[in-house]
Amino acid sequence: MTPRLPLTAILFAGLLLLSSSAQAQDFTDEDLRQGYADRGATTVFVFDAEAYGVVPERVVVTGAFRNWSEDMNAMAWRLTPDDERRIWVLAVENPDFQTIPPSAPFKFRIDGGVWLDPRPDAPNQGGGNLIYAMGITPPLLTAEVRAERAIWASLSGDNIERPRDVSAYRLVTAAGEEVPLEAVLANTASAMLVVPAAPIDVRRVYYLEVPELELRTLVRRDGWFRTRYSAKPLGADVAADGSRTDFRIFSPRADAVRLYLYDEPEATSEDAQHVIDMAMDADGVWEAARDGDLHGTYYDFTVHGPADPGNFFYETHPVHISDPYARVNAEAHGKSRVWRTTAPATPLPGGRPPMEDVIAYEVHVQDFTDLLPVSDDLVGTIPAMAMPGLTNSAGAPIGFDYLVDLSINVVHLMPVQEYLHYPDSEWAAAFENDPYMIAQDVHRENYQWGYRTTHAFAIETRLRQRGTEHGAQRDQFRDLVQAFHDEGIAVIIDLVPNHTGENMDARHMLFNFNVLDKPLYYRTDQELNHIGPFGNEVKTEDRPMVQRWLIDQCQALIDEFGIDGFRIDLAGQIDRESLLALKAALPDDIIIYGEPWIPPTDPAVASHPDWGWYKSNSPITFFQDDARNTFKGPVSDPQDKATDRGYAGGNSALREATMRALTNAYGDEATPNTGINYLDIHDNWTLADQFATRDWNGLLGVDEGPYKIAATLLMTSIGPIVLHGGSEIMRSKGSATVDHNIIKETETGPIYLKGRGDTYNLRKANRFVWETVGQTTDVSDFAGMHAYWRGLIHLRNSEYGEVFRQGEHVPEGYYRFITPDNPAALGYVVDETAFVLINTDNAPFTFADVNLPAGDWQQVADADQVNLDGVGGPRATPSGGALTVTVPPTSAMIWVNRDKP
């Protein structure tokens, strides 16, 4: 999940004060179920902790009205409890729905940031959220231009009588000049055709007004934008025979586009070797061609047009922009470079793994390679990740060989498409002497995970071997994919199509889309400002060319590198139809999964039946957070070991939920492949910190028994799974502070540092400490933990593990659960092939007279090891029968039936 941009808390005109003793009786059952009550001009959010089955220390409300901010410390959005801490309330002044509009989605979050799904009996559920004022329609005027003399408008709302006479309507330009109207023609009770008296320029900005109702709306260009489409190749393409090079860029509202060609990446526009006026075709594609093969030539553009609101053309913002389709870009801020297509890696010899077989390993190239024993020019690079034969000082295999030995079958690379880095000169000037930044090793350059893509068709320049030219990273990346394919490992990459790097950290940067056509490429409000919690939101719905951009980048990554699939960052912000179109355009065996949680900020998009989606109608496999929370607890800021580390950590109240999580028996999962199970992921606390012995810092030691139980639960659950790279060696972010929202400054604006829960720009905290591999210290048994996880992976990949790798719903009784009176104990027999016993208690527990099916049951896992060849211990007779086993404190045991499969 992408780091959130901290937002300034909304200031309210007043706050309704409710006495704690009166809170419970002031609300009806409907108020409690729907999560709010309206009291005149005040909206009161109401959280019934008892009904949600939680005992929180903190409750916060967030939603579209606060850009889905994750700030748990914003006092303006924190609820106050009654004396019994059951009913929590927050009153917000909301006259005429100015603060919280009708149909706005919202959610409650508790304690360290746990997101709570709506209670099952909430009448106002939608897309996994609660919906404020569902069904209420305030006065609403909308309009969009369809053609030069056609504006399609709608006027709706409760108790609204639409004026019939043309004189009741005004059409004005952005400059306030009135445009005469010829007619307003009713179509339905709300829809109408507004006809200008003379043709208007559909590319310009207009507003439609109904003065007597005090309504005014932007005349959006959606009606025109949704008809703009071209199938022509975009970007810079060299003909196969090298006879010519074509340049194309899409900007249908521009008046002119100029192409500049350079010999060097640092050249200025005055140094351009050629300046070419491009020509626009009928679909809005600007084109130019040059004879010969221009491979290696640098280029950029200027884009020209009127000074309307939402426009950032050269006349008002004299900048050069890069090519959003460039195969190579000289970093985010630099020029694009012409590059020939890359020959892809050869396919996986055995084909891509089906979704149910997926054991994915999420890893960031720089984090993985920063401490590898390689030359300085390779540290933190793609070639370092592909280098075999590396060992640590103890002789243990590390790096590439380590992953091969682990036996995962999918490497899930965090973003590798060109992403935003601030220039080194700006960064070093601000932080080279900053003690905190020095401690985090981010004082010399801007380290990033990459959830801020700037050029979706390019591979990140800073991941190339130092000393090689801009563009060399393409072959280096292809070679990495090939190296994994040669070992039978699929490669998927983390896409970030929900927003781009143009509007990060409170900055408005002009790389490409903001200039080419901001309201075409992005969701915007009535003032044509960006909306969304991440600076901007890419608008794939109603924009065929933006939907094409999503599909094109995936197709290019497959065709030119041999990529096997994609993890889609905050996929819930991409409309459902675009995701379905993406799946239809790609090979059937491509692996795709993503995050469903955050919907589009625009309520009209989120509530649209064909665009908004959540788990129950997910177009792709989604991260199953219900299983995650059950197995190991909340994603960040745990407070109490007894309750905040899931069933594995001793919260025995979660035993029934654990049984549901193991079987993926969720109503929103059409098949076990609909959800992908996991424990932690990049922007969570690491598992080691959550299971730390003290101070929530895994560097100081880990409660290894519960840690192994969490791994066992994950590895014996049904369907696909994804691992956070380094969990198997107890990788910790303990070197990062637990502080939230530390703010630093460079000359261009703020830099936000989120602390341990979101270390997206803290280099030291994320590194793989390779010296721990094979090591046992007084603090942690890294070698034993690594061997345990490796053994579980081998078990899951084995013929016995096929019982967990199921893509279709299994019959009732497939998991036969053993539920002793002690809720800390749980057993299960899976398809008469695998048998698991879990004891989360701090004392030994005896499972007495467990009846096993007939077969040769051999123990393959105990508290210390997992070994398919057997670990000794009690063994059932070939005829099956009763088995009595004492399971040590906080540990798991596993048997397999040698007579099956």
Side-chain angles (χ1 to χ4, degrees), residues 9-15 45 61 65-66 75-78 90-95 99-100:
I10 296 175
L11 299 178
F12 300 119
L15 179 67
F45 289 103
V61 65
F65 44 84
R66 58 178 296 218
M75 295 303 297
W77 298 104
R78 287 176 64 167
L90 171 69
V92 177
E93 292 297 314
N94 192 26
T99 304
I100 307 164

mmCIF file of all heavy atoms in Angstrom, residues 9-15 45 61 65-66 75-78 90-95 99-100:
data_model
loop_
_atom_site.group_PDB
_atom_site.id
_atom_site.type_symbol
_atom_site.label_atom_id
_atom_site.label_comp_id
_atom_site.label_asym_id
_atom_site.label_seq_id
_atom_site.Cartn_x
_atom_site.Cartn_y
_atom_site.Cartn_z
ATOM 1 N N ALA A 9 -5.561 18.920 9.013
ATOM 2 C CA ALA A 9 -6.885 18.602 9.565
ATOM 3 C C ALA A 9 -7.896 19.669 9.195
ATOM 4 O O ALA A 9 -7.600 20.858 9.194
ATOM 5 C CB ALA A 9 -6.792 18.476 11.082
ATOM 6 N N ILE A 10 -9.102 19.220 8.837
ATOM 7 C CA ILE A 10 -10.182 20.155 8.514
ATOM 8 C C ILE A 10 -10.615 20.870 9.791
ATOM 9 O O ILE A 10 -10.795 20.264 10.839
ATOM 10 C CB ILE A 10 -11.367 19.391 7.909
ATOM 11 C CG1 ILE A 10 -10.950 18.771 6.579
ATOM 12 C CG2 ILE A 10 -12.565 20.301 7.703
ATOM 13 C CD1 ILE A 10 -12.018 17.894 5.970
ATOM 14 N N LEU A 11 -10.780 22.163 9.713
ATOM 15 C CA LEU A 11 -11.211 22.952 10.869
ATOM 16 C C LEU A 11 -12.713 23.128 10.826
ATOM 17 O O LEU A 11 -13.284 23.482 9.801
ATOM 18 C CB LEU A 11 -10.524 24.324 10.847
ATOM 19 C CG LEU A 11 -8.988 24.273 10.911
ATOM 20 C CD1 LEU A 11 -8.426 25.678 10.822
ATOM 21 C CD2 LEU A 11 -8.529 23.585 12.183
ATOM 22 N N PHE A 12 -13.348 22.870 11.926
ATOM 23 C CA PHE A 12 -14.792 22.968 11.986
ATOM 24 C C PHE A 12 -15.218 24.245 12.702
ATOM 25 O O PHE A 12 -14.519 24.758 13.568
ATOM 26 C CB PHE A 12 -15.387 21.777 12.748
ATOM 27 C CG PHE A 12 -15.054 20.467 12.117
ATOM 28 C CD1 PHE A 12 -14.330 19.519 12.810
ATOM 29 C CD2 PHE A 12 -15.444 20.201 10.829
ATOM 30 C CE1 PHE A 12 -14.009 18.313 12.224
ATOM 31 C CE2 PHE A 12 -15.131 19.004 10.240
ATOM 32 C CZ PHE A 12 -14.406 18.047 10.935
ATOM 33 N N ALA A 13 -16.377 24.730 12.320
ATOM 34 C CA ALA A 13 -16.903 25.950 12.945
ATOM 35 C C ALA A 13 -17.281 25.716 14.403
ATOM 36 O O ALA A 13 -17.254 26.628 15.218
ATOM 37 C CB ALA A 13 -18.108 26.461 12.171
ATOM 38 N N GLY A 14 -17.651 24.499 14.734
ATOM 39 C CA GLY A 14 -18.040 24.240 16.122
ATOM 40 C C GLY A 14 -18.066 22.760 16.409
ATOM 41 O O GLY A 14 -17.947 21.938 15.522
ATOM 42 N N LEU A 15 -18.237 22.407 17.661
ATOM 43 C CA LEU A 15 -18.275 21.017 18.076
ATOM 44 C C LEU A 15 -19.424 20.826 19.051
ATOM 45 O O LEU A 15 -19.563 21.576 20.008
ATOM 46 C CB LEU A 15 -16.947 20.649 18.769
ATOM 47 C CG LEU A 15 -16.813 19.222 19.305
ATOM 48 C CD1 LEU A 15 -16.792 18.258 18.129
ATOM 49 C CD2 LEU A 15 -15.542 19.091 20.125
ATOM 50 N N PHE A 45 -20.904 11.202 14.336
ATOM 51 C CA PHE A 45 -20.445 9.838 14.088
ATOM 52 C C PHE A 45 -20.572 9.050 15.384
ATOM 53 O O PHE A 45 -20.197 9.533 16.464
ATOM 54 C CB PHE A 45 -19.008 9.826 13.588
ATOM 55 C CG PHE A 45 -18.865 10.344 12.188
ATOM 56 C CD1 PHE A 45 -18.373 11.614 11.949
ATOM 57 C CD2 PHE A 45 -19.240 9.564 11.105
ATOM 58 C CE1 PHE A 45 -18.247 12.092 10.662
ATOM 59 C CE2 PHE A 45 -19.123 10.034 9.811
ATOM 60 C CZ PHE A 45 -18.633 11.303 9.580
ATOM 61 N N VAL A 61 -12.493 8.359 12.755
ATOM 62 C CA VAL A 61 -13.275 8.170 11.540
ATOM 63 C C VAL A 61 -12.510 8.787 10.377
ATOM 64 O O VAL A 61 -11.895 9.851 10.506
ATOM 65 C CB VAL A 61 -14.687 8.790 11.656
ATOM 66 C CG1 VAL A 61 -14.631 10.297 11.787
ATOM 67 C CG2 VAL A 61 -15.553 8.380 10.463
ATOM 68 N N PHE A 65 -14.300 12.320 2.699
ATOM 69 C CA PHE A 65 -14.371 13.721 3.103
ATOM 70 C C PHE A 65 -13.070 14.212 3.740
ATOM 71 O O PHE A 65 -12.870 15.394 3.909
ATOM 72 C CB PHE A 65 -15.540 13.951 4.067
ATOM 73 C CG PHE A 65 -15.651 12.905 5.131
ATOM 74 C CD1 PHE A 65 -14.903 12.977 6.290
ATOM 75 C CD2 PHE A 65 -16.518 11.831 4.954
ATOM 76 C CE1 PHE A 65 -14.999 11.998 7.260
ATOM 77 C CE2 PHE A 65 -16.631 10.845 5.930
ATOM 78 C CZ PHE A 65 -15.860 10.920 7.085
ATOM 79 N N ARG A 66 -12.182 13.292 4.118
ATOM 80 C CA ARG A 66 -10.852 13.709 4.584
ATOM 81 C C ARG A 66 -9.766 12.996 3.787
ATOM 82 O O ARG A 66 -8.688 12.685 4.276
ATOM 83 C CB ARG A 66 -10.675 13.500 6.086
ATOM 84 C CG ARG A 66 -10.868 12.098 6.610
ATOM 85 C CD ARG A 66 -10.620 12.010 8.117
ATOM 86 N NE ARG A 66 -9.246 12.327 8.478
ATOM 87 C CZ ARG A 66 -8.575 11.693 9.452
ATOM 88 N NH1 ARG A 66 -9.146 10.722 10.162
ATOM 89 N NH2 ARG A 66 -7.343 12.045 9.733
ATOM 90 N N MET A 75 -6.915 15.237 15.997
ATOM 91 C CA MET A 75 -7.928 15.374 17.037
ATOM 92 C C MET A 75 -9.299 15.710 16.459
ATOM 93 O O MET A 75 -10.335 15.350 17.043
ATOM 94 C CB MET A 75 -7.501 16.459 18.030
ATOM 95 C CG MET A 75 -6.244 16.120 18.813
ATOM 96 S SD MET A 75 -6.382 14.559 19.748
ATOM 97 C CE MET A 75 -7.709 14.984 20.882
ATOM 98 N N ALA A 76 -9.330 16.381 15.317
ATOM 99 C CA ALA A 76 -10.613 16.767 14.727
ATOM 100 C C ALA A 76 -11.432 15.564 14.299
ATOM 101 O O ALA A 76 -12.640 15.686 14.080
ATOM 102 C CB ALA A 76 -10.378 17.694 13.529
ATOM 103 N N TRP A 77 -10.808 14.391 14.185
ATOM 104 C CA TRP A 77 -11.524 13.210 13.704
ATOM 105 C C TRP A 77 -11.515 12.068 14.722
ATOM 106 O O TRP A 77 -11.862 10.937 14.384
ATOM 107 C CB TRP A 77 -10.915 12.733 12.377
ATOM 108 C CG TRP A 77 -11.038 13.763 11.301
ATOM 109 C CD1 TRP A 77 -10.063 14.575 10.818
ATOM 110 C CD2 TRP A 77 -12.231 14.113 10.605
ATOM 111 N NE1 TRP A 77 -10.563 15.396 9.852
ATOM 112 C CE2 TRP A 77 -11.894 15.143 9.690
ATOM 113 C CE3 TRP A 77 -13.559 13.667 10.650
ATOM 114 C CZ2 TRP A 77 -12.827 15.718 8.842
ATOM 115 C CZ3 TRP A 77 -14.494 14.240 9.795
ATOM 116 C CH2 TRP A 77 -14.116 15.251 8.906
ATOM 117 N N ARG A 78 -11.123 12.345 15.963
ATOM 118 C CA ARG A 78 -11.118 11.316 16.996
ATOM 119 C C ARG A 78 -12.429 11.346 17.770
ATOM 120 O O ARG A 78 -12.940 12.410 18.124
ATOM 121 C CB ARG A 78 -9.944 11.516 17.939
ATOM 122 C CG ARG A 78 -8.623 11.140 17.299
ATOM 123 C CD ARG A 78 -7.427 11.414 18.176
ATOM 124 N NE ARG A 78 -7.438 10.606 19.394
ATOM 125 C CZ ARG A 78 -6.377 10.495 20.193
ATOM 126 N NH1 ARG A 78 -5.253 11.127 19.895
ATOM 127 N NH2 ARG A 78 -6.444 9.769 21.284
ATOM 128 N N LEU A 90 -18.381 11.555 17.770
ATOM 129 C CA LEU A 90 -17.719 12.754 17.276
ATOM 130 C C LEU A 90 -18.756 13.584 16.547
ATOM 131 O O LEU A 90 -19.420 13.090 15.631
ATOM 132 C CB LEU A 90 -16.573 12.403 16.312
ATOM 133 C CG LEU A 90 -15.956 13.593 15.574
ATOM 134 C CD1 LEU A 90 -15.183 14.488 16.547
ATOM 135 C CD2 LEU A 90 -15.049 13.129 14.444
ATOM 136 N N ALA A 91 -18.927 14.838 16.962
ATOM 137 C CA ALA A 91 -19.894 15.729 16.330
ATOM 138 C C ALA A 91 -19.174 16.703 15.408
ATOM 139 O O ALA A 91 -18.164 17.310 15.777
ATOM 140 C CB ALA A 91 -20.672 16.498 17.386
ATOM 141 N N VAL A 92 -19.696 16.830 14.196
ATOM 142 C CA VAL A 92 -19.079 17.672 13.174
ATOM 143 C C VAL A 92 -20.128 18.622 12.625
ATOM 144 O O VAL A 92 -21.213 18.189 12.217
ATOM 145 C CB VAL A 92 -18.522 16.794 12.016
ATOM 146 C CG1 VAL A 92 -17.945 17.680 10.918
ATOM 147 C CG2 VAL A 92 -17.474 15.825 12.534
ATOM 148 N N GLU A 93 -19.817 19.908 12.620
ATOM 149 C CA GLU A 93 -20.729 20.861 11.986
ATOM 150 C C GLU A 93 -20.773 20.592 10.485
ATOM 151 O O GLU A 93 -19.740 20.570 9.812
ATOM 152 C CB GLU A 93 -20.259 22.297 12.251
ATOM 153 C CG GLU A 93 -20.378 22.737 13.714
ATOM 154 C CD GLU A 93 -21.824 22.734 14.179
ATOM 155 O OE1 GLU A 93 -22.685 23.252 13.441
ATOM 156 O OE2 GLU A 93 -22.091 22.203 15.271
ATOM 157 N N ASN A 94 -21.969 20.381 9.949
ATOM 158 C CA ASN A 94 -22.124 19.957 8.559
ATOM 159 C C ASN A 94 -23.323 20.646 7.900
ATOM 160 O O ASN A 94 -24.220 19.986 7.368
ATOM 161 C CB ASN A 94 -22.287 18.421 8.514
ATOM 162 C CG ASN A 94 -22.161 17.862 7.128
ATOM 163 O OD1 ASN A 94 -21.515 18.445 6.260
ATOM 164 N ND2 ASN A 94 -22.789 16.712 6.894
ATOM 165 N N PRO A 95 -23.388 21.982 7.937
ATOM 166 C CA PRO A 95 -24.532 22.666 7.346
ATOM 167 C C PRO A 95 -24.572 22.476 5.831
ATOM 168 O O PRO A 95 -23.549 22.607 5.148
ATOM 169 C CB PRO A 95 -24.284 24.135 7.712
ATOM 170 C CG PRO A 95 -22.809 24.231 7.901
ATOM 171 C CD PRO A 95 -22.377 22.914 8.475
ATOM 172 N N THR A 99 -19.401 19.870 4.736
ATOM 173 C CA THR A 99 -18.216 19.156 5.206
ATOM 174 C C THR A 99 -18.246 17.695 4.801
ATOM 175 O O THR A 99 -17.244 17.152 4.323
ATOM 176 C CB THR A 99 -18.101 19.265 6.737
ATOM 177 O OG1 THR A 99 -18.096 20.643 7.112
ATOM 178 C CG2 THR A 99 -16.826 18.600 7.229
ATOM 179 N N ILE A 100 -19.387 17.064 4.984
ATOM 180 C CA ILE A 100 -19.540 15.643 4.646
ATOM 181 C C ILE A 100 -20.714 15.536 3.674
ATOM 182 O O ILE A 100 -21.877 15.675 4.073
ATOM 183 C CB ILE A 100 -19.803 14.793 5.901
ATOM 184 C CG1 ILE A 100 -18.716 15.075 6.954
ATOM 185 C CG2 ILE A 100 -19.835 13.311 5.557
ATOM 186 C CD1 ILE A 100 -19.070 14.617 8.329
#
